[in-house]
Amino acid sequence: MNAAHDPLMPAACFGTVFHERHAPVCNRFVYPLAFLRLPLSRLGELAVPLLGIERANVFSFFSRDHGPRDGTPLLPWLRALLERHGLGEVAAGEVVLQTMPRMLGHLFNPVSFWFCHDRAGALRVVLAEVNNTFGEHHNYLVHHPDLRPIRPGDELRAMKVFHVSPFFPVAGEYRFRFHAAGAAPTVAIDYWEGGERRLSTAVGGRARPLDGRAMCAWLLRYPFMTLGVVVRIHRQALRLWLRRVRFFHKPLPPLEETTR
C-alpha cells in the first residue's frame, strides 16, 4: 500500500477548511489548509527535511504544544488518559495525531485529532483537542457507546462545554464524522443547539508521504499559513460583529480537561 493511502503512516495533507454558519445569520467560507498526520509510536524515527521533531526548524513539532503541555512524551500521556476512561484495552494500537506544526516558531492550532486504533488497526476512539484564541484548551473524547469500530460516516456526539466562538453559547452538542482512511482524510463537525444545526465545519486534505518534497511544497504554497489562520478567524469575527450577531462573553473553562 502506498504510504499516502495508509492511515497509520506519517503524512502531510493538503486541502481545505470549510465553515458554514446556518443561524441566526448565514456565513460561509473555504480556505486552503495543510496538516500533518503523525503516528506517535514513530515520532523518534522521523527525519524529514524542513521538519524538526522536538527541535526548531522551518516547521517544528513539539510535544509541549499538546497533551499535558509539559514536553513529556505524548504516547504515555494518551495511554494513561485512555486507561482512566476505561478505553485502554480497546484502543491499544497505533495513535495518529493530526495537527498543524509550528511555522518559523509560530503556532495557532484550532483543533488537533488523536486517532486511537485497536491492535488490528481499526479506529476505536478519537480525542479532539480544541484550542481557543484565549490560550485555553479542552479535550473531547468520542467513541461509540458499545466501543465498536468507528466507520467512515458514523456520527459521534459530545456535549459542548468549552468556549470557542463568542458568537455561540456554551450549550448544545457537537456531532463528529471521521473519514480517516484512504488518500483524503476528512473530519466533519456539526454544531447543534436548540434542536437546530447552527454550524457545519469540515477539514480535509489529500495525503502525501511525509518527506522533504511534501514539506517544500507546503512552504511554497502556504508560507504564512499560521498567521493566515489567526487573521481569518478575526476577519470572520469582525464580519459577524458588523452584522450584529449576538455576542456571548467567555465563561470560565470547564474544571475537567477532558470530557466524553
Side-chain angles (χ1 to χ4, degrees), residues 36 50-52 55-66 69 99-109 215 218 225-226:
L36 298 175
L50 300 182
L51 175 63
R55 62 184 179 85
N57 206 323
V58 176
F59 300 89
S60 302
F61 175 87
F62 291 102
S63 296
R64 68 174 185 263
D65 294 327
H66 300 278
R69 264 59 175 192
T99 189
M100 291 189 293
R102 289 179 175 268
M103 293 187 67
L104 299 175
H106 299 288
L107 176 69
F108 179 67
N109 205 348
M215 300 314 296
W218 187 331
M225 191 180 74
T226 301

Side-chain angles (χ1 to χ4, degrees), residues 107-122:
L107 176 69
F108 179 67
N109 205 348
V111 59
S112 298
F113 299 97
W114 308 57
F115 294 95
C116 308
H117 302 79
D118 61 23
R119 292 187 178 90

Side-chain angles (χ1 to χ4, degrees), residues 245-258:
V245 175
R246 182 182 176 185
F247 188 93
F248 295 88
H249 291 284
K250 188 186 82 66
L252 292 173
L255 295 177
E256 296 293 330
E257 190 174 63
T258 300

Side-chain angles (χ1 to χ4, degrees), residues 183-244:
T186 302
V187 177
I189 308 173
D190 293 340
Y191 169 57
W192 287 70
E193 192 265 328
E196 296 183 13
R197 185 174 60 172
R198 303 288 186 175
L199 179 70
S200 299
T201 66
V203 58
R206 184 155 295 276
R208 293 178 52 173
L210 184 55
D211 55 23
R213 288 182 299 176
M215 300 314 296
C216 283
W218 187 331
L219 182 60
L220 291 173
R221 292 186 194 180
Y222 314 123
F224 305 108
M225 191 180 74
T226 301
L227 177 62
V229 169
V230 176
V231 169
R232 288 162 179 165
I233 287 173
H234 287 88
R235 178 191 299 164
Q236 296 300 327
L238 178 60
R239 291 182 63 184
L240 294 174
W241 180 78
L242 292 173
R243 297 174 73 177
R244 299 187 178 183

Side-chain angles (χ1 to χ4, degrees), residues 14-104:
F14 298 85
T16 59
V17 58
F18 162 82
H19 184 290
E20 183 173 10
R21 172 184 289 266
H22 303 287
V25 300
C26 295
N27 187 50
R28 183 181 187 274
F29 61 85
V30 181
Y31 292 135
L33 189 73
F35 54 88
L36 298 175
R37 287 179 56 87
L38 302 172
L40 295 186
S41 69
R42 301 184 59 184
L43 272 182
E45 306 170 12
L46 293 179
V48 181
L50 300 182
L51 175 63
I53 304 296
E54 307 295 356
R55 62 184 179 85
N57 206 323
V58 176
F59 300 89
S60 302
F61 175 87
F62 291 102
S63 296
R64 68 174 185 263
D65 294 327
H66 300 278
R69 264 59 175 192
D70 59 6
T72 57
L74 296 177
L75 191 53
W77 173 84
L78 191 279
R79 296 288 188 214
L81 186 151
L82 293 174
E83 284 290 345
R84 289 197 300 272
H85 289 274
L87 302 168
E89 183 59 32
V90 72
E94 183 64 88
V95 177
V96 177
L97 177 57
Q98 178 174 309
T99 189
M100 291 189 293
R102 289 179 175 268
M103 293 187 67
L104 299 175

